[in-house]
Amino acid sequence: MNQANLREEISSRKTFAIISHPDAGKTTLTEKLLLFGGAIHEAGSVKARKAERYATSDWMELERQRGISITSSALQFKYQGYVINILDTPGHQDFSEDTYRTLTAADSAVMLIDAAKGIEAQTKKLFHVCRQRGIPIFTFVNKFDREAKDPLDLMDEVEKVLGIESYAMNWPIGMGQDFKGIYDRQTGMVERFTSGGGKKSSKPPVSGDINDPIVREGIGEDLLKQLHDEIELLDLAGNTFSQDRVDRGEVTPVFFGSALNNFGVPNFLHSFLNLAPAPQPRSTNQGILAPETETFSGYIFKIQANMNAQHRDRIAFIRICSGRYERGMNVIHTRSHRRLRLAQPQQLFAQERTILDEAYAGDIIGVHDSGLLRIGDVLTEKDGLQFEAMPFFSPENFARINIANALKRKQFIKGIQELQEEGAIHVFRDLHVGVEAPIIGVVGQLQFEVLEYRLREEYGVKVNIQHLPYEIVRWIDKNEKTVKLLSESSMSTVVLDKDENYAVLLLDDWKAKWLSERYEIEFYAQPQEPTVS
């Protein structure tokens, strides 16, 4: 393939993640983007339990039961000449580790805000991760068909709480029961709102130019005056639009709508595709790597076991950073320096997959993994390439896991190992206890519930979870005197991590500081030099 064709293919890719606080409507927005893009024919609202329709991106049974996303899904579809890769991330803060890693694979982010609640804790946390990476952020203010905060107050909140300038691409006309539609600031057109589940009117609302008498009549004088005043204020005192500043993550374009009713979603998608960046260059140990570089390279940002329960498969998600993938090509696994053949890479659509013949920088593909691959591993045609290190998250909740039925020991060990390799849990081995009763560390308590569920449903193993009082883990040098002292202390338990590095579980930061000062022990926030297998 010549350079011009390669550049054209790569420039058509749009790869983004959707971030939000739980219940802001993230999975619903994902579904409506897929519906509008023609990728699915019926959206499964996360509330439509009676009809047994579920969100396409929520493939795990527990997600369907709870109505939340607890795994990251990759969804790809084509629309108007673009190849769109959506990374749907867990909204719940207990799964922020998975979300943070997924954000490294995105070129931009869509920040979803609940119009009634404004900026919430998890949104703020995830926003700052995107900000640190300097990626463009687009804002969709959802649920304006319900009672909401004043839109000017929401714009002000975005700027004050998040510290980023905002620019309204469209503007809501009313809210809640009086929600009449949205006004497009670029075109002067009004799109009138019709509720999907509301009462049907014999006279449908009319969309069109704001100066059209029929359109104005349908809105009413009071809301027209309010719209005029607010737009005038935005034009005079609001921020100016700048594509360069959007690209640098300094200004966020803001859109209003209702994802549940698919209102404002088409407008948002059209604008987003025009404004969002194509795949961006990446920092490496060999300098900046351009996506149109002919040499193929990518890295693994996620591993998921048992996506297909019938086959007990294990899929590694790869973000392609440069070049072109061809079916059956050979690549080098840089951590082991082994040559691998990527025989059956798959285009992912949540749980559904199709075999790919080719893929380009910006695409997310899945490959079968026999156990060699780890999160952060690099696959490339030229050995020695390394991308920036994946973010490390130290667990804050700990529990000892005991198998209920000793005859299931083999399945238990396999399940713990595979879930550890996914990055879903941290596994520690007590120096005085065998592998049948490991200590598990997680970021959030809900992960224990998911662990128990997945061991039972995917591996046929029932377990007992004994919660431990420790709040932090620190790594230590392999020193016989230090290990003995901390092993005998009532404040700590010495363990080995997955790479046989010595670590210590501690009750809290204060006690860690006291032990460090009292016995001159140096604690590390993460492993210093993990053993490479």
Side-chain angles (χ1 to χ4, degrees):
M1 172 176 279
N2 63 46
Q3 189 65 25
N5 290 341
L6 178 64
R7 190 176 289 112
E8 183 181 348
E9 285 287 353
I10 292 171
S11 65
S12 71
R13 266 63 186 170
K14 303 286 184 179
T15 303
F16 65 97
I18 303 179
I19 61 172
S20 77
H21 196 81
D23 300 323
K26 177 171 56 62
T27 302
T28 303
L29 176 62
T30 304
E31 288 283 296
K32 295 308 169 74
L33 289 171
L34 297 173
L35 180 68
F36 181 69
I40 57 175
H41 300 293
E42 183 178 28
S45 162
V46 291
K47 295 190 186 207
R49 294 291 175 257
K50 289 183 181 174
E52 294 190 355
R53 294 204 312 272
Y54 305 104
T56 301
S57 55
D58 287 344
W59 62 268
M60 189 186 289
E61 184 61 32
L62 183 60
E63 294 179 308
R64 300 180 174 195
Q65 293 174 8
R66 294 285 295 267
I68 59 172
S69 295
I70 59 178
T71 61
S72 299
S73 293
L75 305 145
Q76 186 188 81
F77 64 98
K78 294 180 180 179
Y79 178 70
Q80 292 191 346
Y82 292 100
V83 179
I84 302 170
N85 294 284
I86 302 179
L87 296 165
D88 182 30
T89 61
H92 200 287
Q93 63 183 7
D94 284 6
F95 302 94
S96 56
E97 193 170 0
D98 194 20
T99 301
Y100 280 43
R101 284 193 293 255
T102 300
L103 286 173
T104 69
D107 294 309
S108 61
V110 174
M111 179 170 64
L112 191 64
I113 296 174
D114 187 315
K117 298 174 182 175
I119 307 296
E120 297 177 88
Q122 183 70 355
T123 309
K124 186 176 178 181
K125 197 173 178 183
L126 295 171
F127 167 83
H128 286 300
V129 177
C130 296
R131 192 73 181 274
Q132 286 168 1
R133 292 196 59 233
I135 63 175
I137 299 165
F138 299 80
T139 301
F140 188 88
V141 184
N142 193 26
K143 304 181 183 180
F144 241 87
D145 54 328
R146 306 178 187 179
E147 290 305 313
K149 290 185 177 182
D150 182 271
L152 287 169
D153 290 343
L154 284 165
M155 296 279 287
D156 188 54
E157 189 175 341
V158 167
E159 301 206 359
K160 286 181 176 175
V161 175
L162 300 180
I164 186 173
E165 291 184 15
S166 57
Y167 181 86
M169 304 297 290
N170 59 26
W171 199 250
I173 305 171
M175 69 175 73
Q177 291 186 335
D178 295 325
F179 185 48
K180 300 296 185 183
I182 51 175
Y183 167 75
D184 190 311
R185 292 182 67 192
Q186 282 67 48
T187 64
M189 301 295 285
V190 171
E191 182 182 353
R192 290 293 309 281
F193 173 71
T194 51
S195 174
K199 292 186 256 182
K200 299 212 170 166
S201 167
S202 57
K203 189 177 180 184
V206 178
S207 300
D209 192 281
I210 187 64
N211 297 312
D212 188 321
I214 300 176
V215 173
R216 296 176 67 86
E217 182 186 350
I219 295 171
E221 285 302 319
D222 290 343
L223 286 176
L224 278 171
K225 184 179 185 311
Q226 181 181 327
L227 174 66
H228 177 270
D229 292 345
E230 289 173 343
I231 295 300
E232 188 175 41
L233 181 62
L234 288 171
D235 290 343
L236 290 172
N239 298 309
T240 54
F241 182 80
S242 164
Q243 179 70 58
D244 287 342
R245 297 190 68 209
V246 170
D247 291 343
R248 293 196 299 269
E250 296 172 2
V251 176
T252 177
V254 179
F255 302 81
F256 295 84
S258 167
L260 187 63
N261 288 291
N262 204 25
F263 185 75
V265 176
N267 313 60
F268 165 74
L269 184 57
H270 279 136
S271 294
F272 174 81
L273 292 175
N274 288 327
L275 299 173
Q280 296 296 291
R282 296 270 170 164
S283 296
T284 76
N285 61 336
Q286 300 173 1
I288 300 298
L289 178 69
E292 60 270 16
T293 302
E294 291 186 10
T295 304
F296 168 87
S297 69
Y299 67 92
I300 295 163
F301 66 92
K302 178 181 176 63
I303 291 175
Q304 187 73 54
N306 305 325
M307 288 186 74
N308 185 328
Q310 291 181 328
H311 299 292
R312 296 287 181 211
D313 61 350
R314 181 182 145 102
I315 299 294
F317 289 64
I318 301 171
R319 156 70 197 229
I320 302 178
C321 297
S322 69
R324 173 177 180 251
Y325 164 81
E326 293 180 50
R327 186 173 179 178
M329 75 184 299
N330 290 309
V331 298
I332 295 169
H333 177 235
T334 59
R335 181 168 56 83
S336 66
H337 307 290
R338 290 173 58 179
R339 188 168 289 276
L340 304 176
R341 184 169 181 266
L342 301 181
Q344 288 189 315
Q346 303 174 21
Q347 173 186 314
L348 299 158
F349 194 78
Q351 199 176 12
E352 299 173 15
R353 291 165 248 163
T354 54
I355 301 298
L356 282 173
D357 288 320
E358 61 181 8
Y360 297 86
D363 284 337
I364 308 296
I365 63 172
V367 296
H368 285 285
D369 173 34
S370 60
L372 171 69
L373 303 176
R374 288 187 188 177
I375 290 169
D377 281 358
V378 176
L379 301 175
T380 179
E381 290 182 88
K382 291 184 179 179
D383 201 0
L385 182 71
Q386 292 296 331
F387 293 99
E388 292 178 325
M390 296 292 279
F392 177 83
F393 294 85
S394 186
E396 300 170 5
N397 300 275
F398 301 88
R400 191 181 297 281
I401 309 296
N402 292 286
I403 186 171
N405 182 353
L407 296 176
K408 296 281 187 176
R409 178 180 180 276
K410 186 177 177 182
Q411 295 94 317
F412 173 72
I413 293 173
K414 181 185 179 186
I416 291 293
Q417 181 182 343
E418 291 189 346
L419 295 177
Q420 171 188 261
E421 289 165 351
E422 282 185 15
I425 58 175
H426 296 262
V427 180
F428 301 98
R429 178 167 62 83
D430 193 319
L431 296 179
H432 308 293
V433 182
V435 293
E436 292 85 356
I439 293 174
I440 303 298
V442 296
V443 174
Q445 285 285 349
L446 185 56
Q447 287 176 285
F448 284 128
E449 185 180 330
V450 175
L451 170 65
E452 184 179 19
Y453 171 86
R454 292 191 64 187
L455 285 173
R456 184 180 69 247
E457 297 299 320
E458 296 175 18
Y459 299 92
V461 178
K462 291 183 179 180
V463 295
N464 299 314
I465 297 179
Q466 176 192 349
H467 293 277
L468 301 174
Y470 306 111
E471 293 181 1
I472 61 173
V473 58
R474 294 291 181 264
W475 278 259
I476 56 175
D477 294 319
K478 186 178 180 181
N479 179 292
E480 191 175 325
K481 182 181 174 183
T482 302
V483 170
K484 185 174 186 297
L485 190 151
L486 292 171
S487 297
E488 293 173 352
S489 172
S490 60
M491 301 182 193
S492 59
T493 293
V494 179
V495 294
L496 293 171
D497 70 8
K498 63 183 175 64
D499 294 309
E500 299 292 304
N501 297 307
Y502 278 86
V504 57
L505 307 182
L506 297 151
L507 293 173
D508 53 46
D509 275 313
W510 185 89
K511 291 183 177 62
K513 187 178 179 183
W514 185 86
L515 284 167
S516 177
E517 293 175 353
R518 175 73 174 80
Y519 299 106
E520 296 183 345
I521 301 170
E522 187 166 7
F523 290 129
Y524 304 104
Q526 62 187 74
Q528 293 303 288
E529 293 182 5
T531 303
V532 176
S533 58

